[in-house]
Amino acid sequence: MKKSLLTIVAAASLMFASCDYNEHNFPGLDNGNITDVKVMNYTMTADDYATVSSNSTNKSIANVNGQSAALATVKTQQAFSVDAPASIYAPAFLDAKWPTADDGSSIKLTYNMQQALPAYLQTLNAGNVYTVSNADYEAAWGKSGVKYFSANQTPEESLPSILSGEYPNAVKGDVVMVSYNMADEELTIGGLDEQFEYFSSTVYHAQVDGWFNIALTGTYYWQGRTYNSNGYLQNSAYNHPDGALDVYMISPAVDIVSGMVLSFDMAYRYYATEGGRIAVLISTDLVESSDDSIMTNNVRNATWTDVTSQFSFAIPAVGSSNNLASAGSYNLASYVGQRIHVAFRYYGDANGATTTAQIDNVQIKNPTSEATTSTPVNALYAFNGTTWAPYTEKTVHVLQKSEFNEMGINYDNFSASLSADHYLPIYLSNAYPYATEGTTVIVAYKYYANSVTSMAADEYVLTAGTWVKNTALEVVTDQFVKNNGVWVFDPSVVITLSPIRNDATIMAYYQAAVDWVWENVDVPAGCTSKGQGYVTSYGNNDYYSGCSAYYNNVDIRPAKAREQIASAYEGMTDDEVTALMEERLLEVMGHALEALHPDAVPVDGVEVTYTVKVAIYRGSTVSSCTHQMIYKVVGPGQFEYVPDSFQEI
């Protein structure tokens, strides 16, 4: 009997407890009207941003709005943006995440917002990269073989015309990163020195500045290759679909002077007795053309002298390979005073003649003369509307090849596998060891992706001893509410103007209120200087509404109001003065909102409100807000006081 009684009591207790739980968590459950009203704060995760981008509703909206690319970046950037705002793309996410939420639900969503980068960073990131060509150097010097600028032929003299020719449609403000060589000393001896350090991966049709890669027979061109950070050229007829292969790699034109010799490195690999060979040819009558078909005919019609026998090629055993090594040299004495092209011809056949051939370090120089050394330079140039000149809008640290080398990078660019975000904070710590807190450095550099080298720029700020990249990311909290079954953006805000002295944000509201009184009440009344009307001589208090940007409160003491402008309150009781100033406060604070929130706009289906909390001073010290008033957004930057919303807190 006792056991049964205890069971009944326990069951009853559980029933009552369940009623309380249900009513708290599921309003209406106990009377049969179940509701699921969400009132919560939520911070988005990385997975949430991916969900936003993949949401089918969002994809449809983005397609109509022309924002598909921007929607995709919400996932990769883990942030909403100006082109893919939360106000448009968060509702579908909320609906999918909380499908049972009923009307009246309210979620304050905290998320990352990708703001626009500063204009100067946008300009720099939109810039091109231009590498000065052999033809550019030849035009600058008036002769071939010189591949650098110097103190006698400066880049500042030559680059404006070079860039004008390259970018005839440039507009004011365009920026280009120019890469060129600068002579370390003034010894102009001409010649050729090509080390093929262009390639970070295999390039099946090598493009080398000033050179011509021409296939007379077949479709396999000389390739750009790299091994152990060394670039070189390679060709082979192995697996060539067209059988026979005959390809020329032709040097730029070189003016030959006394003492010059031709030298290069070569290697045969996977040697086949049937063939696959290199021939070295020289022409004095080859005509250059930028049109491949014309150039192919010109190569066929040129006179070529075969000088292969002047070199010594190491021959490996059948099926074996050699490493790149010197092939010796050939004295060009018979060509002094002439301009020549040197061709490295590969000829073979997929039917057995498949030896792989490699060449590197092609030089034409006087071995007894000291060659001019040069340093690669990256520099920024901007178009000013008339000509190109060195970029001066901002101080920019342009990364040089030597600095990439210091970071352990063999090339002069970052890439997907060599992340600038990883290297730059470390580099800046070493480059600016004495930088002070808040120091800002803009870094411009080359970035390689999808076989294209482009220009990029980042801004870093020294923050708490660490270099932090300016990503223009802002953490934002916005409110979304569910009305009529639809989630909508509700930008309603609460502005708390606590009585805290010298708080710049709070002061801005009170000063905006005081300024409105001066411009719209005192000046029209004939006041020529502050202190003559409602606004005090200090210009930061008014006794029209009582707003004080000095104390950051609302002073509605009748005695102080009469002290400032007795005529305005003559014949009124203290209560009447207080009531009038409170009424004016509602008017003036609305105008302050208009001044400080011109971007506020109405939202369909939502009553957007701004609740303003203030501290009213009546003679006794106040340390927190005492009253609040509510304004409805009725148009872009337009606010309307909500009747009877002025209430004591």
Side-chain angles (χ1 to χ4, degrees):
M1 183 67 180
K2 290 182 180 179
K3 181 177 180 181
S4 299
L5 180 59
L6 288 173
T7 303
I8 294 171
V9 171
S13 298
L14 179 61
M15 178 183 70
F16 287 119
S18 297
C19 289
D20 291 341
Y21 175 83
N22 291 335
E23 182 61 30
H24 177 75
N25 292 281
F26 301 100
L29 176 62
D30 296 323
N31 59 21
N33 298 317
I34 302 174
T35 58
D36 183 11
V37 177
K38 306 286 187 187
V39 179
M40 60 188 297
N41 298 322
Y42 184 76
T43 300
M44 292 188 67
T45 67
D47 289 341
D48 291 334
Y49 294 109
T51 301
V52 169
S53 288
S54 62
N55 183 279
S56 59
T57 300
N58 281 344
K59 285 185 174 181
S60 298
I61 296 172
N63 185 54
V64 172
N65 293 346
Q67 297 174 330
S68 295
L71 177 63
T73 63
V74 171
K75 173 184 176 180
T76 57
Q77 298 293 332
Q78 295 187 19
F80 290 103
S81 66
V82 174
D83 294 324
S87 59
I88 294 177
Y89 296 105
F93 160 74
L94 297 173
D95 195 48
K97 192 168 184 67
W98 291 284
T100 64
D102 286 322
D103 284 355
S105 292
S106 172
I107 294 179
K108 289 186 177 178
L109 189 68
T110 299
Y111 60 88
N112 295 328
M113 177 64 179
Q114 179 69 63
Q115 304 291 352
L117 287 169
Y120 53 85
L121 280 183
Q122 294 185 48
T123 298
L124 291 171
N125 277 288
N128 294 307
V129 172
Y130 182 73
T131 301
V132 176
S133 67
N134 289 343
D136 292 332
Y137 290 119
E138 183 172 342
W141 286 93
K143 56 184 175 181
S144 68
V146 185
K147 296 171 62 176
Y148 49 75
F149 293 121
S150 71
N152 288 342
Q153 187 66 48
T154 67
E156 291 79 11
E157 292 173 318
S158 302
L159 288 177
S161 60
I162 291 172
L163 293 175
S164 292
E166 183 66 21
Y167 302 102
N169 299 318
V171 298
K172 185 176 181 180
D174 283 356
V175 178
V176 172
M177 181 183 289
V178 189
S179 295
Y180 58 86
N181 295 320
M182 192 69 188
D184 299 326
E185 53 190 311
E186 198 57 47
L187 290 173
T188 304
I189 63 167
L192 177 69
D193 184 3
E194 182 57 71
Q195 300 178 34
F196 303 112
E197 300 302 329
Y198 295 84
F199 312 110
S200 57
S201 59
T202 298
V203 178
Y204 290 100
H205 187 166
Q207 304 290 324
V208 181
D209 184 31
W211 291 65
F212 299 90
N213 195 350
I214 304 296
L216 297 186
T217 303
T219 56
Y220 278 9
Y221 292 85
W222 280 96
Q223 302 173 7
R225 294 280 186 133
T226 184
Y227 180 72
N228 283 344
S229 301
N230 176 56
Y232 57 91
L233 297 182
Q234 175 174 300
N235 212 338
S236 172
Y238 181 73
N239 279 343
H240 180 237
D242 300 322
L245 183 63
D246 189 5
V247 188
Y248 284 57
M249 192 68 181
I250 305 168
S251 76
V254 180
D255 294 317
I256 304 303
V257 298
S258 179
M260 284 186 170
V261 299
L262 168 64
S263 64
F264 61 96
D265 297 343
M266 64 80 59
Y268 280 141
R269 301 183 65 79
Y270 314 109
Y271 190 77
T273 55
E274 295 87 345
R277 301 290 186 264
I278 296 174
V280 185
L281 313 175
I282 295 177
S283 176
T284 59
D285 62 3
L286 175 66
V287 178
E288 295 184 2
S289 174
S290 59
D291 185 296
D292 284 348
S293 61
I294 294 175
M295 189 62 185
T296 300
N297 287 331
N298 291 351
V299 172
R300 293 184 188 278
N301 296 326
T303 302
W304 293 99
T305 300
D306 191 327
V307 296
T308 310
S309 61
Q310 303 297 319
F311 297 92
S312 177
F313 295 173
I315 306 300
V318 174
S320 298
S321 302
N322 286 336
N323 293 322
L324 283 162
S326 173
S329 61
Y330 170 54
N331 193 310
L332 298 170
S334 60
Y335 293 97
V336 171
Q338 300 183 72
R339 174 172 288 194
I340 70 169
H341 288 86
V342 177
F344 293 89
R345 177 192 179 201
Y346 177 88
Y347 56 99
D349 195 297
N351 298 313
T354 58
T355 301
T356 296
Q358 298 174 341
I359 60 172
D360 196 5
N361 300 327
V362 179
Q363 294 183 328
I364 296 176
K365 66 178 185 178
N366 186 333
T368 63
S369 298
E370 183 181 358
T372 300
T373 59
S374 61
T375 299
V377 176
N378 296 322
L380 297 183
Y381 272 69
F383 188 66
N384 62 18
T386 303
T387 188
W388 290 89
Y391 175 87
T392 58
E393 180 180 349
K394 292 284 183 179
T395 300
V396 180
H397 185 120
V398 183
L399 283 183
Q400 307 299 321
K401 188 176 189 302
S402 59
E403 294 173 307
F404 280 101
N405 295 159
E406 290 173 12
M407 289 183 269
I409 300 173
N410 294 317
Y411 311 106
D412 69 337
N413 59 260
F414 291 120
S415 63
S417 59
L418 299 168
S419 171
D421 290 347
H422 167 74
Y423 285 93
L424 285 179
I426 302 171
Y427 171 77
L428 291 172
S429 294
N430 294 326
Y432 298 91
Y434 303 111
T436 57
E437 181 76 5
T439 296
T440 299
V441 177
I442 303 170
V443 185
Y445 54 88
K446 295 180 186 178
Y447 185 83
Y448 181 82
N450 300 320
S451 300
V452 176
T453 300
S454 58
M455 176 180 165
D458 295 324
E459 184 175 68
Y460 280 81
V461 181
L462 187 61
T463 307
T466 301
W467 289 97
V468 178
K469 180 180 175 181
N470 175 10
T471 60
L473 276 181
E474 181 181 351
V475 177
V476 175
T477 298
D478 278 330
Q479 181 170 263
F480 291 82
V481 298
K482 194 168 187 181
N483 284 332
N484 299 319
V486 178
W487 286 98
V488 291
F489 170 56
D490 180 6
S492 297
V493 297
V494 175
I495 300 169
T496 302
L497 304 181
S498 300
I500 303 172
R501 292 279 300 275
N502 299 319
D503 183 293
T505 300
I506 297 172
M507 289 172 63
Y509 285 90
Y510 286 117
Q511 190 62 56
V514 173
D515 291 344
W516 185 89
V517 172
W518 167 252
E519 295 166 4
N520 294 275
V521 179
D522 281 358
V523 171
C527 295
T528 57
S529 62
K530 292 174 181 176
Q532 296 176 349
Y534 288 101
V535 177
T536 67
S537 59
Y538 294 104
N540 55 6
N541 291 54
D542 82 76
Y543 284 97
Y544 178 84
S545 66
C547 287
S548 170
Y550 181 73
Y551 290 104
N552 279 349
N553 64 17
V554 179
D555 183 357
I556 57 173
R557 291 176 294 169
K560 291 297 294 184
R562 293 190 183 94
E563 181 181 319
Q564 173 62 31
I565 180 168
S567 60
Y569 299 106
E570 186 175 354
M572 299 176 63
T573 66
D574 286 355
D575 288 343
E576 289 172 336
V577 172
T578 298
L580 179 59
M581 292 182 70
E582 288 179 348
E583 180 181 339
R584 289 170 171 176
L585 172 64
L586 307 179
E587 171 196 13
V588 171
M589 193 54 70
H591 293 302
L593 292 176
E594 291 173 355
L596 298 178
H597 297 278
D599 54 348
V601 293
V603 175
D604 290 341
V606 175
E607 184 175 278
V608 181
T609 61
Y610 278 54
T611 299
V612 182
K613 296 182 178 182
V614 298
I616 293 183
Y617 178 62
R618 303 180 187 276
S620 299
T621 301
V622 290
S623 58
S624 61
C625 292
T626 61
H627 291 71
Q628 70 177 30
M629 60 206 84
I630 301 174
Y631 298 84
K632 181 170 64 175
V633 179
V634 294
Q638 298 177 357
F639 296 83
E640 180 181 279
Y641 171 68
V642 176
D644 301 322
S645 66
F646 182 62
Q647 300 289 336
E648 188 172 354
I649 299 175

